[in-house]
Amino acid sequence: MAITTSYRTRSGAVPLRSFKTKGRHSGIAGMGVYAPEKVVSNFDLEKLMDTSDKWITERTGIRTRHIAEPGTTTLELATKAARAALDSAGITANDLDMILVGTSSPDGPFPSIACRIQDELDAPGAVAWDMLAACTSFVYGLATADSFIATERADNVLVIGAEVLSRMLDYSNRGTAVIFGDGAGAAVVRPAPEGAGFLSWCLGSDGRGYLQVTCGNKELGAYAAKDPRPIIEMEGPDVFKFAVDIFIRQANEVCNEAGISMEDIDLWVPHQANFRIIDAAARRIGLPLDRVAINIDEYGNTSSASIPLALEEAIRKGRVKTGDNVLLAGFGSGLTWGATLLKWV
Ligand code: UT7
């Protein structure tokens, strides 16, 4: 592992941890996604709050978002994505060694969604748990899967990002309510040939930035404060600056570790938080937008589901082929961030 550079957030310097994959390599063998049928447009939101399609489109790139009907569980979305991922990888639930679910919007404190999915899928051989790293959860899940496969402690790992964030929105707060959407994405991670699959990682957290994106009582936390309905709040412009900067630094780190130049990235799949964040970072990385997966216009920000939703769409549209260098990169509340460089198998 290398702590190559020190990265300065608003709260101070933090090390950037990056490392090459060691041991047995792993890669993504299949993917599945699911989004609720109901689509809410910017024009629909104009009727609910003081906003406009023009503002939302120009400031975020979002035109619609999928929103779950009341009573829909995160479990339902996650299970549908999980089944599709197993089909796509050509394995059964019985083959699974681990189920990891990244979510910031579980249906309750416990049991975990991962254990509920284990039951739904009937995957008796899997160890299952949820991971909370907000919008970075899916990348942390992939990194965990890669580590277990590298050390030969697992062969088939199901990694899921699933959210019903609409439960946590206050439709009188136009600063956040227009941004988020619901959805789920899943990937089956399996051993890959030497030199393929995940080549390198950059993972990090800076807890001193915990106030920048929160849900529920900022100091006590929602449970301790007996908050009946925790609501997402964020310091948008600060997060925006952090996001552009960390996207660029992570791209640099994982490319260095993998020994490839940033120009050799065939597809960048960023967390879909804001089109302007992606565009600003892509320009500074030197990547034309035709090498960036962007579907924020349809889904909005779906937190842990955004990277798998964008990656699966890119695969489905034939934008990813064997041997391509694919960069996945996320950031989110915590603060947290994570990226990986994959040679597609
Ligand atoms: O994945 C989780 C991490 N979160 C993020 O990545 C979010 C990163 N930040 C952002 O994407 C942007 O900061 C936002 C989209 C959240 C906000 O865009 P902005 O360009 O930074 O706007 P702002 O917060 O600086 O607000 C500018 C103006 C304000 O009005 P005044 O004070 O200038 O009169 C806001 O009240 O825009 C106003 N505004 C809106 N107007 C119409 C904020 N939200 C809206 C809205 N419709 N929905």
Side-chain angles (χ1 to χ4, degrees):
M1 186 189 74
I3 298 184
T4 44
T5 45
S6 186
Y7 166 56
R8 182 160 285 279
T9 66
R10 201 182 59 162
S11 11
V14 284
L16 270 183
R17 291 168 185 280
S18 46
F19 37 90
K20 277 191 183 65
T21 291
K22 280 195 179 147
R24 187 167 59 153
H25 278 235
S26 72
I28 293 177
M31 294 203 68
V33 295
Y34 180 76
E37 277 173 25
K38 181 174 165 188
V39 173
V40 173
S41 71
N42 294 344
F43 299 105
D44 295 326
L45 293 180
E46 282 181 358
K47 294 173 201 147
L48 296 178
M49 66 189 85
D50 179 17
T51 190
S52 65
D53 172 62
K54 185 173 184 304
W55 190 96
I56 303 171
T57 312
E58 288 179 2
R59 305 307 292 169
T60 71
I62 301 167
R63 292 181 188 280
T64 61
R65 67 285 293 145
H66 292 248
I67 297 291
E69 294 292 350
T72 303
T73 59
T74 305
L75 173 68
E76 284 168 56
L77 273 54
T79 307
K80 285 180 173 151
R83 288 191 200 282
L86 292 178
D87 285 349
S88 147
I91 65 166
T92 68
N94 215 31
D95 298 319
L96 288 174
D97 301 307
M98 297 175 77
I99 301 172
L100 305 174
V101 178
T103 186
S104 303
S105 48
D107 302 314
F110 54 85
S112 66
I113 291 190
C115 284
R116 295 291 310 279
I117 288 179
Q118 176 182 28
D119 179 46
E120 292 282 331
L121 298 179
D122 192 16
V127 53
W129 73 89
D130 288 359
M131 308 179 76
L132 202 170
C135 309
T136 316
S137 303
F138 187 74
V139 178
Y140 281 12
L142 293 177
T144 308
D146 179 55
S147 300
F148 274 85
I149 293 173
T151 49
E152 304 195 16
R153 290 169 184 154
D155 287 327
N156 296 305
V157 183
L158 180 61
V159 180
I160 302 168
E163 308 285 0
V164 180
L165 296 165
S166 56
R167 285 197 288 247
M168 302 166 163
L169 297 176
D170 170 3
Y171 282 92
S172 67
N173 180 347
R174 64 183 184 172
T176 49
V178 303
I179 290 167
F180 294 98
D182 303 332
V188 171
V189 182
R190 303 195 61 198
E194 178 72 31
F198 299 109
L199 301 181
S200 58
W201 297 91
C202 175
L203 305 173
S205 310
D206 181 10
R208 291 169 300 181
Y210 78 96
L211 285 172
Q212 292 190 31
V213 190
T214 56
C215 185
N217 188 289
K218 286 194 171 72
E219 293 301 337
L220 288 175
Y223 295 147
K226 297 199 168 76
D227 191 339
R229 188 166 175 267
I231 295 299
I232 298 174
E233 292 177 85
M234 64 187 175
E235 298 171 10
D238 284 340
V239 180
F240 190 109
K241 286 185 214 123
F242 156 71
V244 174
D245 193 32
I246 199 69
F247 267 158
I248 297 161
R249 287 171 189 272
Q250 291 188 109
N252 200 23
E253 292 289 316
V254 292
C255 285
N256 275 346
E257 287 289 342
I260 73 151
S261 129
M262 295 225 266
E263 289 146 29
D264 294 330
I265 296 170
D266 296 296
L267 187 72
W268 176 34
V269 186
H271 167 47
Q272 312 280 305
N274 184 323
F275 172 77
R276 289 190 300 128
I277 292 175
I278 297 169
D279 185 47
R283 282 170 201 273
R284 284 171 55 193
I285 293 169
L287 272 182
L289 286 182
D290 63 4
R291 283 197 263 151
V292 185
I294 302 171
N295 63 5
I296 188 170
D297 51 326
E298 176 179 349
Y299 294 99
N301 179 344
T302 56
S303 191
S304 69
S306 93
I307 292 175
L309 278 166
L311 176 58
E312 191 275 346
E313 184 175 301
I315 296 167
R316 199 163 14 92
K317 290 185 169 169
R319 295 181 68 190
V320 187
K321 50 185 192 315
T322 303
D324 277 359
N325 294 313
V326 179
L327 167 66
L328 312 183
F331 68 89
S333 169
L335 297 168
T336 54
W337 57 89
T340 180
L341 201 281
L342 272 152
K343 190 161 284 291
W344 199 256
V345 273

